[in-house]
Amino acid sequence: MKMLSTEVRTLLDKLYNLRGEDSVILTKMTKEREDAIETQERTKNEKEVLIKEIENLTAEEKTLAEEGEKLTSVLSSINKNDFATVLDRLKIDFDPDVINEKVNKMLPDTIAKVVAENKKASEKLESVEAEMNNAITKVEELGIRKDEALSNQAKLNEYFDLALAGNINITRDEITSLLEKFDFTENEQREAAKILMFPEDALYEYDASYKSGDKASGKTITEVLVEAKKESTAVQPEAKVEESESISDLEPIKASADSEPILEDIFNKVIEENIPVEPTPQVENSSAPIFADPTPIVEDKQSEKEKLYEVMRESGLDPEDYNAKSIEKLLTNYNADTLKNNVAELKNKNIDLKILRENIEILYDLELAQKIDKLLALGKEARDISLMPNVLVKYDLKGLNNTINVLQISGLDPKKVPLMAY
């Protein structure tokens, strides 16, 4: 049997991907269409707000001009001396000439500002309408392109079905013409045409392997890795390698690890945080690696507590806002510098300090700033974190990165996935 070369296998991987529902082309079109629909909805709402703003500014400009004219006219007709006695008795400082002068001086600038705001809003409206129209057009175009892509995909599947049935009657030009629509290079087109027109045993084996594998079952890459990780964990021997074991017993394992990345490495990089594991029994006086080393608790706990309260107050926190359990946990893991830095970080990033009442661990998290920066870099906002702060406690930095990687591998945009789903 002729074995498939790496190049041919890679080509078949690409072809078979285009044959399925998870086709990169269809997946990309779906995402583009979702983004276009989202843009269409957003710009529609922005347009409504801008139209209302322009209407209000136009009305305000007109009112300012009319009322200003009336006011200056009235003030010009008033003689202060006609009311001198009552103004003097009531001690009212009223000078129509001074007021009239101020109105004439300030009103034109005020109207000019309103006109400028109106112009800016009108320009923004023009830009928003253009963006909205482009989004509407793109949604329509993607609908047409998707229909064409599905048609091309059906034709590609037909060619493969004929080839695998040994009944191919398609010309080389027909095959290359179709693959050109999928942006295949000329070399890829020629090689694919050869595979389809002169199918060999290796192709049948690849097809059988594909259909019996996880792709045919509809599982995602992440799901496959998760299941494999569970199986790998289940068969791990409990016994540790004794120091007295011979080097020769260990050499096969080392050689395998050095030759290529083992599956465990991939798991640790991609899905470690997504596989539930039994909690490790806590050892007394131990602490999580992402938290500050606790200051040793001396016998005089009240004295230590007072020091903690003083630092909290200096940082703008009221100790009375926190229950006894939270204070005890903070006291156990207390580090003054870390507490001050983390409070400052939350303030600088406009994250509500109230989140600390139910998540006191945040105050002694050594990776807090990095995790917040990571979430903000994804497109999350301070209010998102304020509403779902447990994401900062749930993950260390590595775990957060792993979770984001899994979302991206699954074809999801971490920015659009709510933090509650992390």
Side-chain angles (χ1 to χ4, degrees), residues 306-317:
E306 288 301 326
K307 291 179 182 178
L308 170 62
Y309 286 174
E310 183 179 351
V311 173
M312 290 178 72
R313 292 189 185 99
E314 288 176 359
S315 299
L317 304 178

Side-chain angles (χ1 to χ4, degrees), residues 258-276:
D258 290 343
S259 61
E260 59 182 271
I262 58 176
L263 188 59
E264 186 67 20
D265 293 334
I266 300 174
F267 293 148
N268 290 337
K269 289 181 181 178
V270 181
I271 59 169
E272 186 175 12
E273 292 300 317
N274 287 266
I275 299 183

Side-chain angles (χ1 to χ4, degrees), residues 83-92:
F83 311 99
T85 302
V86 68
L87 292 174
D88 183 57
R89 280 288 185 177
L90 298 178
K91 300 187 183 305
I92 296 175

Side-chain angles (χ1 to χ4, degrees), residues 277-282:
V277 296
E278 293 298 324
T280 304
Q282 295 296 315

Side-chain angles (χ1 to χ4, degrees), residues 11 14-15 18 24-25 28-29 32 145 148-149 152 156 175-190 192:
L11 178 58
K14 185 175 180 181
L15 285 164
L18 295 173
V24 291
I25 292 178
K28 182 181 179 182
M29 284 186 180
E32 287 181 355
R145 284 170 54 196
E148 182 182 357
N152 291 335
L156 181 63
I175 296 173
T176 56
S177 176
L178 174 62
L179 295 180
E180 187 178 5
K181 296 177 181 178
F182 290 108
D183 292 329
F184 278 71
T185 66
E186 290 185 5
N187 287 336
E188 289 175 326
Q189 293 171 31
R190 286 194 296 269

Side-chain angles (χ1 to χ4, degrees), residues 63-79:
T63 301
L64 283 171
E66 291 176 349
E67 291 184 358
E69 185 178 352
K70 290 180 183 178
L71 181 58
T72 55
S73 177
V74 170
L75 290 171
S76 298
S77 65
I78 297 176
N79 188 338

Side-chain angles (χ1 to χ4, degrees), residues 219 224-236 267:
K219 297 175 183 176
V224 173
L225 290 176
V226 168
E227 291 186 4
K229 172 67 173 179
K230 288 180 179 177
E231 293 175 3
S232 174
T233 304
V235 300
Q236 289 295 321
F267 293 148

Side-chain angles (χ1 to χ4, degrees), residues 199-215:
E200 298 179 357
D201 289 345
L203 173 61
Y204 297 112
E205 182 181 347
Y206 181 96
D207 185 74
S209 174
Y210 180 90
K211 289 177 179 177
S212 64
D214 291 299
K215 292 180 182 178

